[in-house]
Amino acid sequence: MTAPALPSSTVWAVALPLPIPAYDFAAPHGFSEPLPLGHRVLVPWRGDLALGVVVGAGEGGVRLREVAGLLDERPWVGDGFIRGAQNLSALSRVPLGLLLSDLLGVGLSPHYSHRVRAVEDADLSMFSANSGQQTPNASYTDGNVYPPALLDAIREQGLLDEAFCLSPRLSSVYRARPWAQLTDEQRTRTVWRALDFSAVPLTERQQKAWTWLQEHGPADSLTEWAKRGGVGSGVVMAVLQRGWAEAVQVDAAPPPAWEVLRSAGQFETQTAWAQAAGVPASHVASLLARRWAESVEIQAPPPALPPASPPPRPQPDDLPEELVWRLHGGRDAQRYAKLAARIRRRLELGRGVLVLAPDAATLRRAWEGLSGVAAEAGTRAVQFSAALSEVQREHTWHLIQSGEARLVIGSGLALAAPLEDPALVVVLEEASDGYKWPSGSGVFVPDLAARLATALQTPLAYVGAVPAVESVPLPGVVLSAPRNRLHIVDYANPAQQPEMGPLSAVQLRQGGAGYPISHDLTKVLRQVAERGRQAVLLAPRRGYSALIRCPNCEHTPQCRNCDIPLRLHQQTRQLLCHQCGYGQGIPERCDVCGEMMWSAKGPGTEWIAAEVRGLLPEFPVYRFDKDQQDDLSAMMDGAGGVVVGTQALLSQDAPPNLALIGITLADTWLNISDFRASERYHRLLRQLASWHPARAPLLLVQTFQAEHPALRSVIDGHDALAFPQAEYELRRALKYPPHATLAQVLITAREQSRASAGADEVAQALFAAGATPQEVLGPAASPVTRLKGLYPYHLMLRTRDEARLGKLLEALNRSFKARVRVDVTPRGGLGV
């Protein structure tokens, strides 16, 4: 099914990849085709040309500048993405250009040729006189030879014709020059041969030289003749002068390395050529210098792309047929096998499918589980994410644009893909915070994906280990929870754990011998080492500790830009801020009281790894976090070991012989001022329980909240829907999403008084627009009172629906005393 042609428009709305809204431009002179929605164009911008994307028909205006040129024959950006982004931009006040800049991962800096000429009968002499520069004439010439400002001045007066053409990607290769094109000096060589007669007699030594040449010649050089004939150079010269020898030209044998190059056709590098010929690189460089070969530019071959996996075993498609549905529970392989059946059906209809993943690990597993269905349906699967090179991304985009690839599996960057006639949009692990853009537009990809699907009336599916609370009321399928083995170390009630099995023992207070590695965890780690198995320990944070404190006066070194403690990194002997990056050495003594000893609080990966090494001195111990990512290949090959890491570990495959997963302090995921904290904790437990694709390692959880409902849900064997359903009802009582629409308004300034006044001003503007006290929560200083040199204040808007939220946010369409930013999909606030 092909989208209907759009009507022609003389005014185009064009979004540039900048933090600005779309602007109107006049269509190119004489353009009468349908509106090129989603095509890339070049527009005049600040005295030069800038690339933009046509996002709709414009409203018109006075003296609009004309679009200089159209680059694409087919849409470069999908229609659904444009409409969804426009909808989000209108609500959140995030400029459309910023969304485009964040989410269009390819094609923003294309290579193209630019030719210009003066329009017929145009007199450009005044431009030449004013600038002292040569101007275009009536014939097309390369536009790059003229200053951009000069061309823009001529363009603004309507006196410039321009032609643009995308340039193919080129690559340099080395080729042998054809034999016929080589010079005579290259194709022939001079040799010396004896003559049978001369009237001038020879001396005895000259006779000796002539006899050798007669019997062994011709000689390649006079030096060779003299040396091998056993005479001096003067003797052979005398033989020549007396007419008994002569120099002649004969066909030369080409260098062997040239023959290798001619037979191979071409090499991409001199190194590859030298290796194939078995000669030093300097030898092929010499042949290039002597013009035996040459470097030529050719159209680059398509880059290698990730190969598709084998097709999954066919299954019946028994998933819901509603417009929005969900599939959760089970293991990855089970979910992807069921999802593959639905995807195959859609692809067989000649339509497209888009699958989105929040991180590299989920993307890799989805590719392994789903990419094989494309070939069975007569199309191709492609992967798209920032992990591909720029060349790979561009080639992948062309495959999507041409319709050759109709199954796209990628990160949030795949949302903008020009996938023709999408029949299904799949969002994997829809509650993952990995979808949240940390800066720029702050977009939450599942939210934009839902807007895209709504705009196109395309079915939308949420698939993952655990449903988001917002997904609970949707129709769906929940697979049986995989078998798990769970052991709890209850720091709050250490002596009363009889139901938890023979491992349990009294756990000492935090800071004693039972923390961060409890007695139970110590026993299991020793068993792992004795049996040569594998263990993974999940730490709350990277670095050595969350802070250092003076044991005498309780002083804690703080970041100079943020009001938070500096974290200790023992390996580098540094105190670092994990928010702004500020760092300093460890002070020799306390700045307040002069005490020379420091007490570390809040163990991180370095601390825990050091504890494990002390416990298991002969057993391999690795670290995996943002600071240090050890080579885990030995463990991935089955060797025993312990890995201590943060949640970054979940971006890797589970080690094959994994016997233990330990959460050193689960409360870290709960002690956050965020109503989604329990939901994240539950999702983490489910992901860890199903991390290994086949076995059920012991999951040992150290916590002060052993009766937390999220943990009890897993212990009691409930399915993946049980806890989100309970949270759904709790949020109904508290009026939190999905029973309300939430937005965070963040107000920042470099002076605290200015930020506070700006926050009050924003609140008053909202109340003046009709907001009620129940809808405006705050304003208040953020939990971190200073961050990266800024004082952040925030307030929350909680409304019954998005329409009401949009109406209230209209009150913010003006300037305030401080910077104001709206986030309509807040995730986690400003916790550290």
Side-chain angles (χ1 to χ4, degrees), residues 515-529:
Y515 185 79
I517 299 180
S518 64
H519 293 176
D520 283 9
L521 182 54
T522 297
K523 293 177 184 178
V524 182
L525 283 172
R526 283 178 173 152
Q527 291 176 5
V528 167

Side-chain angles (χ1 to χ4, degrees), residues 384-657:
F384 192 85
S385 73
L388 300 179
S389 69
E390 183 179 352
V391 172
Q392 288 176 312
R393 292 199 303 272
E394 184 175 345
H395 180 58
T396 299
W397 211 257
H398 282 298
L399 292 175
I400 302 169
Q401 186 188 37
S402 66
E404 184 177 339
R406 290 188 283 108
L407 174 56
V408 181
I409 303 174
S411 67
L413 296 177
L415 266 175
L419 186 64
E420 187 175 354
D421 192 22
L424 178 63
V425 176
V426 179
V427 179
L428 302 175
E429 306 296 348
E430 73 273 16
S432 171
D433 292 327
Y435 280 122
K436 183 69 173 177
W437 243 247
S439 59
S441 64
V443 66
F444 185 57
V445 170
D447 175 56
L448 184 53
R451 296 174 191 275
L452 178 153
T454 300
L456 298 177
Q457 285 298 290
T458 297
L460 174 66
Y462 295 117
V463 178
V466 182
V469 175
E470 289 82 353
S471 304
V472 166
L474 299 175
V477 174
V478 178
L479 304 177
S480 299
R483 181 178 70 91
N484 67 71
R485 298 187 298 136
L486 196 63
H487 180 78
I488 310 301
V489 173
D490 186 354
Y491 280 128
N493 300 287
Q496 300 175 6
Q497 303 183 72
E499 76 282 2
M500 294 183 181
L503 281 173
S504 297
V506 173
Q507 310 299 328
L508 302 186
R509 64 183 178 83
Q510 186 172 353
Y515 185 79
I517 299 180
S518 64
H519 293 176
D520 283 9
L521 182 54
T522 297
K523 293 177 184 178
V524 182
L525 283 172
R526 283 178 173 152
Q527 291 176 5
V528 167
E530 289 169 2
R531 299 172 185 176
R533 304 290 289 279
Q534 299 171 331
V536 165
L537 299 185
L538 208 60
R541 60 188 63 83
R542 60 189 171 97
Y544 187 82
S545 66
L547 54 88
I548 59 172
R549 179 175 293 159
C550 174
N552 184 47
C553 70
E554 300 291 311
H555 169 67
T556 298
Q558 300 278 313
C559 174
R560 68 180 184 185
N561 302 316
C562 313
D563 286 340
I564 56 175
L566 293 169
R567 293 188 174 178
L568 172 62
H569 288 248
Q570 184 83 327
Q571 187 171 337
T572 58
R573 304 293 297 169
Q574 288 280 306
L575 296 177
L576 295 178
C577 174
H578 287 188
Q579 291 297 315
C580 71
Y582 169 75
Q584 66 178 53
I586 302 175
E588 293 184 1
R589 59 180 66 244
C590 175
D591 294 338
V592 176
C593 70
E595 171 68 42
M596 297 183 64
M597 296 293 291
W598 293 103
S599 173
K601 302 292 183 182
T605 51
E606 287 185 53
W607 182 339
I608 296 171
E611 293 273 346
V612 176
R613 290 190 182 101
L615 180 66
L616 308 173
E618 304 298 324
F619 202 56
V621 179
Y622 305 91
R623 266 180 58 201
F624 198 94
D625 55 34
K626 185 177 179 180
D627 298 328
Q628 179 174 320
Q629 298 184 0
D630 291 338
D631 182 5
L632 304 181
S633 56
M635 285 188 66
M636 299 311 294
D637 290 337
V642 178
V643 189
V644 179
T646 59
Q647 267 186 273
L649 265 171
L650 295 181
S651 67
Q652 307 296 306
D653 289 329
N657 294 324

Side-chain angles (χ1 to χ4, degrees), residues 196-263:
D196 294 335
F197 175 77
S198 175
V200 182
L202 299 173
T203 66
E204 180 179 352
R205 290 187 63 77
Q206 293 167 354
Q207 183 68 36
K208 178 182 177 183
W210 178 86
T211 301
W212 182 91
L213 188 61
Q214 178 76 4
E215 293 176 355
H216 301 92
D220 289 335
S221 67
L222 294 176
T223 302
E224 180 195 12
W225 177 11
K227 182 177 180 180
R228 298 185 66 184
V231 297
S233 57
V235 175
V236 299
M237 289 300 297
V239 174
L240 282 170
Q241 293 168 358
R242 283 165 170 73
W244 286 92
E246 65 177 353
V248 295
Q249 298 291 318
V250 298
D251 290 338
W258 179 87
E259 290 280 15
V260 169
L261 181 58
R262 183 180 63 85
S263 299

